[in-house]
């Protein structure tokens, strides 16, 4: 359906996705989004026409060189940094294990790291592992009852020994948004790096790493209609001095390429360029954000009375990702019953957010519903009807 009052023409958007043309209502974008056909075509075209490695004089090699450059430029535009500050990797988790090692290579026993109870483990486990190997101390910032971060607790944990403050910009489980600018400023006051997991946030909101004050920020294009990849921004200011784990012939500059290892996945990078073009063509992240928010409000307003919603009570301070349980029907059964009716909604226990899971304290699993810009109002109505019939 077309939403005339909003900047997104959903009918036009949905035509871009073959996967959405089969009567399947997909509400699990937090797990991994659908990709438009243009992304698939760009990947296939690259395998056909540009299979080569970088740096040779022949045509196919020049083509992969151009793809890498364009991918860096588009990713830099998406995040608000310069192309030399972009690093690509297999996924966010792999990049985060690698970059945390690089940043912490010369940290000393007794240095301190801060993580949060709201985070996905991909931004906790790498720091715990680094701390175990180098005898560092890890502090965990607690969550308030409403799943916002306790900033007083955060302040109390910062010290002159803090080397990094690692936090998520939005929870992949409950959608809670953190005060990234304020948190980065607190990290910098203590002389620590501000290290942001933006995997969930980047799928819903525009990002400007400079405005936020991030030193490092990571995201995953497969959460916003792109291929399976990870992207890291590492500020030139801090990363140029890092002693990268790299092969000796790899040049020192640009810094982003020095931090990547091995041959790039050129076909996926071509898909990434197509993904950024898609996001621009449908209106850009600001329009996507507004549109998704409207659908989120619709979803929230129509939830059955028997639904228990976790996290913040409304959409203020959260991206449109809802975690809930219905009375008397386990989430796993709800998810299965919805699947039989053509809805893609997942149930899970921790959502890899172990601190949050402990804090929320629900038994077993909960149902996560995520809105993306390719969802429309009629699908949300249909989902609400299905939930009401199950409730
Ligand atoms: C908030 C968040 N951070 C990190 C990750 C890990 O990302 P990747 O799958 O790219 O390793 C996920 C994956 O779901 C996530 O939701």
């Amino acid at each position: 359906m077309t939403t005339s009052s909003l900047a997104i023409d959903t009918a036009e958007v949905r035509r871009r996705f073959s996967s959405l043309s089969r009567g399947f209502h997909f509400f699990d974008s937090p797990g991994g989004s659908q990709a438009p056909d243009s992304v698939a075509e760009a990947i296939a075209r690259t395998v056909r026409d540009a299979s080569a490695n970088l740096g040779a004089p022949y045509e196919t090699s020049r083509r992969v060189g151009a793809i890498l450059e364009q991918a860096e430029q588009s990713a830099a535009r998406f995040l608000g940094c310069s192309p030399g500050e972009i690093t690509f990797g297999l996924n966010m988790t792999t990049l985060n294990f690698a970059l945390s090692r690089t940043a912490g290579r010369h940290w000393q026993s007794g240095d301190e790291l801060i993580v949060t109870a709201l985070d996905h483990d991909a931004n906790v486990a790498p720091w715990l592992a680094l701390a175990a190997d180098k005898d560092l101390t890890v502090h965990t910032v607690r969550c308030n009852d409403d799943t916002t971060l306790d900033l007083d607790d955060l302040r109390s944990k910062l010290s002159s020994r803090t080397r990094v403050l690692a936090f998520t910009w939005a929870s992949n489980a409950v959608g809670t948004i953190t005060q990234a600018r304020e948190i980065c400023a607190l990290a910098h006051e203590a002389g620590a790096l501000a290290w942001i997991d933006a995997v969930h946030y980047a799928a819903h909101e525009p990002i400007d790493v400079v405005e936020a004050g991030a030193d490092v920020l990571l995201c995953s294009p497969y959460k916003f209609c792109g291929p399976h990849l990870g992207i890291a921004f590492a500020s030139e200011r801090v990363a140029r001095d890092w002693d990268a784990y790299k092969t000796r012939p790899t040049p020192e500059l640009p810094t982003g390429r020095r931090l990547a290892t091995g041959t790039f996945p050129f076909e996926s990078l071509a898909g990434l360029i197509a993904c950024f073009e898609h996001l621009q063509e449908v209106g850009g992240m600001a329009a996507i954000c507004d549109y998704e928010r409207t659908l989120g409000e619709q979803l929230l307003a129509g939830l059955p009375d028997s639904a228990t919603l976790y996290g913040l009570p409304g959409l203020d301070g959260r991206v449109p990702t809802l975690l809930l349980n219905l009375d008397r029907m386990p989430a796993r059964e709800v998810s299965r019953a919805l699947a039989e009716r053509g809805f893609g909604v997942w149930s899970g226990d921790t959502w890899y957010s172990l601190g949050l899971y402990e804090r929320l304290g629900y038994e077993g699993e909960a149902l996560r519903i995520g809105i993306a810009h390719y969802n429309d109002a009629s699908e949300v109505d249909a989902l609400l009807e299905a939930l009401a019939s199950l409730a």
Side-chain angles (χ1 to χ4, degrees):
M1 94 179 255
T2 301
T3 46
S4 52
S5 59
L6 291 162
I8 302 271
D9 178 348
T10 325
E12 194 279 322
V13 169
R14 290 179 69 81
R15 276 196 294 277
R16 293 164 169 255
F17 292 79
S18 291
S19 63
L20 298 176
S21 66
R22 302 173 193 126
F24 180 47
H25 304 297
F26 189 70
F27 286 96
D28 189 28
S29 302
S33 58
Q34 303 297 292
D37 296 356
S38 59
V39 168
E41 280 151 18
I43 293 171
R45 204 167 41 243
T46 304
V47 174
R48 270 197 313 267
D49 300 341
S51 280
N53 213 323
L54 276 180
Y58 47 81
E59 176 60 24
T60 48
S61 177
R62 289 206 302 274
R63 276 189 209 144
V64 294
I67 287 169
L68 176 58
E69 260 177 44
Q70 204 188 332
E72 287 168 342
Q73 282 162 7
S74 323
R77 253 195 314 277
F78 186 70
L79 297 180
C81 62
S82 71
E85 296 176 307
I86 293 290
T87 299
F88 296 115
L90 187 61
N91 49 52
M92 180 277 187
T93 307
T94 308
L95 275 175
N96 214 24
F97 270 104
L99 293 182
S100 55
R101 290 282 151 172
T102 306
R105 197 162 180 181
H106 302 298
W107 291 346
Q108 306 286 331
S109 166
D111 282 343
E112 298 180 8
L113 319 176
I114 299 184
V115 297
T116 92
L118 188 63
D119 271 72
H120 187 287
D121 210 43
N123 200 26
V124 179
W127 301 112
L128 297 181
L130 180 69
D133 291 349
K134 297 189 72 93
D135 191 28
L136 313 176
T137 303
V138 182
H139 298 289
T140 304
V141 179
R142 63 181 290 284
C143 282
N144 296 310
D145 286 344
D146 64 1
T147 71
T148 55
L149 282 183
D150 181 341
L151 292 192
D152 289 333
D153 187 50
L154 166 50
R155 282 187 198 92
S156 75
K157 286 176 167 140
L158 281 161
S159 82
S160 59
R161 293 302 301 265
T162 311
R163 296 287 165 256
V164 70
L165 168 47
F167 68 98
T168 190
W169 205 335
S171 159
N172 57 298
V174 284
T176 305
I177 296 172
T178 60
Q179 307 308 311
R181 222 164 87 183
E182 191 177 346
I183 296 171
C184 289
L186 289 171
H188 292 155
E189 272 168 36
L193 295 174
W195 198 288
I196 305 183
D197 172 356
V199 171
H200 198 64
Y201 188 82
H204 301 288
E205 302 262 346
I207 289 183
D208 183 331
V209 287
V210 175
E211 219 252 328
D215 294 305
V216 173
L217 177 142
L218 303 106
C219 61
S220 303
Y222 76 91
K223 306 285 193 185
F224 49 81
C225 301
H228 289 96
L229 268 180
I231 303 178
F233 150 77
S235 156
E236 180 71 31
R237 191 174 36 79
V238 303
R240 71 174 158 237
D241 297 329
W242 286 351
D243 191 4
Y245 290 94
K246 70 176 200 58
T247 51
R248 287 171 293 171
T250 301
E252 290 296 316
L253 292 171
T255 304
R257 288 194 199 178
R258 166 160 55 92
L259 298 173
T261 43
T263 304
F264 291 91
F266 300 110
E267 53 283 336
S268 297
L269 295 181
L272 178 66
I273 296 165
C275 154
F276 287 130
E277 281 167 1
H278 164 80
L279 296 176
Q280 271 312 112
E281 284 162 11
V282 303
M285 288 311 293
I288 286 172
C289 176
D290 289 348
Y291 173 73
E292 289 184 354
R293 197 152 279 277
T294 310
L295 291 190
E297 296 285 4
Q298 180 192 346
L299 177 61
L300 203 57
L303 286 178
D305 290 343
S306 68
T308 301
L309 179 72
Y310 302 107
L312 291 162
L315 272 199
D316 274 356
R318 84 192 303 162
V319 296
T321 301
L322 304 186
L323 190 69
L324 55 102
N325 262 312
L326 300 183
D327 275 0
R328 289 188 294 276
M329 188 166 185
R332 186 175 289 213
E333 278 178 39
V334 178
S335 161
R336 282 208 191 111
L338 288 173
E340 278 164 21
R341 291 163 163 82
F343 295 93
V345 178
W346 206 3
S347 73
D349 45 24
T350 66
W351 306 102
Y352 277 56
S353 304
L354 306 181
L356 180 67
Y357 182 58
E358 202 175 301
R359 180 87 189 144
L360 291 175
Y362 55 80
E363 295 217 339
E365 300 191 340
L367 202 66
R368 184 178 64 181
I369 306 176
I371 299 286
H373 68 276
Y374 44 68
N375 292 124
D376 70 21
S378 64
E379 279 189 301
V380 173
D381 277 341
L383 175 62
L384 287 171
E385 265 174 44
L387 284 173
S389 73
L390 295 170

